[in-house]
Amino acid sequence: MKLYSRGQLIIVSTTAAVAAVAVTSFIFVKFSGRGTLPEPQTAVEQTSAQADGGPEMQTAFLQQNSGQSSVRSVSDNQQYTQDELQNINVYETCAESVVNINTQVTGVNWFLEPVVQDGGSGSGSIIDKRGYIVTNVHVIENASKIYVSLSDGTQYEAQVVGQDEESDLAVIKFTPPAGTVLKTISFGDSTRLKVGQKVIAIGNPFGLDRTMTTGIISGLGRPVKNSNNRIIRNMIQTDAAINPGNSGGPLLDTSGRMVGINTMIVSSSGSSAGVGFAIPAETAVRVVADLLKYGHVNRGAMELSIVQLNNAIVQYANLDITSGVLVSEVTKGGDAEKAGIKGGTQPARYGNSTIYLGGDIITKIDDIKVTSLADYFSALEDKRPGETVNVTVHRNRKDHVLQVVLASQQSD
């Protein structure tokens, strides 16, 4: 007799705090025998006698009964399908490398006194035996204290090594006790992923430690805007169930390599709707390397100040286009000015600040169309200082393509 259970998470909010778990149990019983069906007790006795007759008889019994039913044998030599063995192997290899992350934030009470409150929770992956963990920025955002819980139940306080809002990736670190050997997850090659390929997610949805879900890659190269109004390009779309609390955890291939970092879902209810997104390992490797080395991402930038076009600016400046980013000012002697990009000359109030109208309007960077500030920063996300980009600007009702050498700018 083998007991199986199936569960459904009933999600009540988009925070990793509350979940109701409804579990329905089903019992499957297998009887073996041929010809006239014997009395149930006789069949059970016969099965027990064969299975208890020593290793050779046990092996013969399993071989004789293999393929007769999809119900598994209940012996020590329990059989699994190839797919199940794959799942089990990945979980046993990687689960210990996934940590649960909880944060505390500083708030104020009714008397405007500072108080410590519980913050969010999420997941992370140990990538270095010295205690370095990769996760999402939004998992540790505004945290005054960060705690990581390991698979053995021990908990440690962690510190932020570096974070990058453009990619929503962060590295934190805790110090394991002397003699502790941490298991790590290695990065895979996300550039070789295919739609339809099986992937596995491990994380802590709703505080349920090291939950594994499986699915396939549903799409590649998705540009997705996150909660910080940043567009993250080349996201991996998957139908593996990802819920609040999975953020920062690994998306794995069937060899147990981390091909992505689970980051967000698209859902009207806040629950998994089979549309989850992960930051590709290709991006993570580049960003994490910089965070470990510099504490920030050494990203290329143009030396200028920009403003996103809106209806008010378009009408006031009598522009002939309605989307793009307006170059308000350029840095004197900077690479943008050397490339021929022009800033504005007509001052105007814009909220609480002053902008300058009449400058170039950036509409494209390399092959990426720029219609907003999010597009602009997304186009430069993977660029390095010293790289040259082709910038299309709209000036005097005509488009011009200028080559700009990017300067160095630290991420916020």
Side-chain angles (χ1 to χ4, degrees):
M1 183 171 67
K2 181 68 178 176
L3 178 65
Y4 294 82
S5 66
R6 299 177 181 173
Q8 180 182 10
L9 289 176
I10 302 173
I11 299 159
V12 297
S13 72
T14 58
T15 60
V18 183
V21 182
V23 181
T24 305
S25 297
F26 301 89
I27 299 177
F28 298 87
V29 180
K30 173 186 173 183
F31 294 97
S32 62
R34 295 180 181 176
T36 304
L37 183 66
E39 294 295 327
Q41 184 177 4
T42 305
V44 172
E45 289 174 349
Q46 178 182 355
T47 300
S48 298
Q50 288 177 311
D52 291 337
E56 293 181 358
M57 290 193 67
Q58 289 179 20
T59 302
F61 172 74
L62 291 173
Q63 291 174 345
Q64 178 183 357
N65 288 276
S66 63
Q68 293 185 8
S69 172
S70 60
V71 180
R72 304 171 187 158
S73 170
V74 192
S75 72
D76 290 337
N77 297 321
Q78 191 170 22
Q79 297 177 353
Y80 301 94
T81 67
Q82 189 64 36
D83 187 58
E84 288 172 330
L85 286 172
Q86 205 172 56
N87 295 340
I88 293 168
N89 181 62
V90 170
Y91 187 82
E92 292 181 347
T93 302
C94 300
E96 290 184 30
S97 305
V98 179
V99 301
N100 192 355
I101 300 175
N102 292 281
T103 64
Q104 290 183 341
V105 297
T106 302
V108 293
N109 60 18
W110 288 101
F111 303 101
L112 300 180
E113 298 170 331
V115 293
V116 176
Q117 303 171 335
D118 289 335
S121 66
S123 307
S125 300
I126 301 174
I127 57 172
D128 187 282
K129 292 183 178 181
R130 292 170 294 177
Y132 289 95
I133 295 168
V134 62
T135 185
N136 288 136
V137 170
H138 72 263
V139 170
I140 61 169
E141 199 167 27
N142 301 320
S144 56
K145 287 186 179 296
I146 303 171
Y147 297 98
V148 297
S149 299
L150 305 187
S151 60
D152 61 4
T154 56
Q155 187 180 76
Y156 303 93
E157 187 172 352
Q159 307 297 326
V160 177
V161 175
Q163 53 187 321
D164 178 54
E165 288 191 359
E166 299 297 333
S167 62
D168 197 15
L169 290 174
V171 174
I172 60 177
K173 183 185 184 301
F174 72 100
T175 302
T180 302
V181 179
L182 298 175
K183 292 189 69 174
T184 63
I185 296 181
S186 60
F187 285 101
D189 185 358
S190 60
T191 63
R192 301 180 65 181
L193 297 177
K194 300 290 184 182
V195 173
Q197 179 178 338
K198 180 180 175 180
V199 285
I200 297 167
I202 301 178
N204 304 288
F206 304 103
L208 300 174
D209 289 357
R210 290 159 197 85
T211 297
M212 182 177 79
T213 55
T214 64
I216 63 169
I217 293 174
S218 306
L220 294 166
R222 304 293 198 204
V224 183
K225 184 180 292 187
N226 65 14
S227 58
N228 291 323
N229 203 35
R230 301 293 210 277
I231 294 178
I232 303 177
R233 293 186 295 120
N234 298 321
M235 293 279 274
I236 302 166
Q237 181 185 338
T238 179
D239 69 349
I242 296 174
N243 287 291
N246 275 111
S247 289
L251 186 70
L252 305 158
D253 63 16
T254 52
S255 296
R257 295 168 298 201
M258 183 162 54
V259 294
I261 289 89
N262 299 319
T263 299
M264 66 185 76
I265 59 174
V266 173
S267 172
S268 58
S269 64
S271 63
S272 176
V275 185
F277 295 95
I279 298 166
E282 180 186 20
T283 299
V285 168
R286 171 173 50 82
V287 170
V288 168
D290 272 10
L291 294 180
L292 290 173
K293 186 174 182 179
Y294 306 111
H296 63 267
V297 177
N298 194 22
R299 184 173 285 118
M302 287 190 275
E303 298 169 299
L304 43 76
S305 62
I306 53 177
V307 180
Q308 183 173 317
L309 291 185
N310 57 29
N311 289 334
I313 294 176
V314 170
Q315 293 175 8
Y316 183 82
N318 193 28
L319 299 177
D320 61 323
I321 61 173
T322 58
S323 65
V325 293
L326 171 70
V327 179
S328 175
E329 297 177 273
V330 294
T331 301
K332 296 291 185 182
D335 287 331
E337 185 182 60
K338 292 177 181 177
I341 293 181
K342 298 184 180 300
T345 57
Q346 306 166 22
R349 294 293 297 173
Y350 186 71
N352 295 323
S353 60
T354 299
I355 64 172
Y356 294 87
L357 303 177
D360 290 339
I361 299 169
I362 298 175
T363 59
K364 194 175 183 181
I365 298 176
D366 285 339
D367 296 326
I368 299 174
K369 188 177 181 180
V370 176
T371 62
S372 63
L373 291 176
D375 291 332
Y376 173 86
F377 290 113
S378 175
L380 297 176
E381 192 279 325
D382 61 350
K383 303 299 182 183
R384 293 289 192 180
E387 283 190 48
T388 300
V389 294
N390 294 316
V391 180
T392 302
V393 299
H394 192 74
R395 179 194 304 164
N396 298 327
R397 301 181 181 271
K398 294 181 180 180
D399 289 335
H400 306 269
V401 179
L402 306 174
Q403 291 190 323
V404 181
V405 178
L406 298 178
S408 178
Q409 177 178 310
Q410 297 183 9
S411 61
D412 297 332

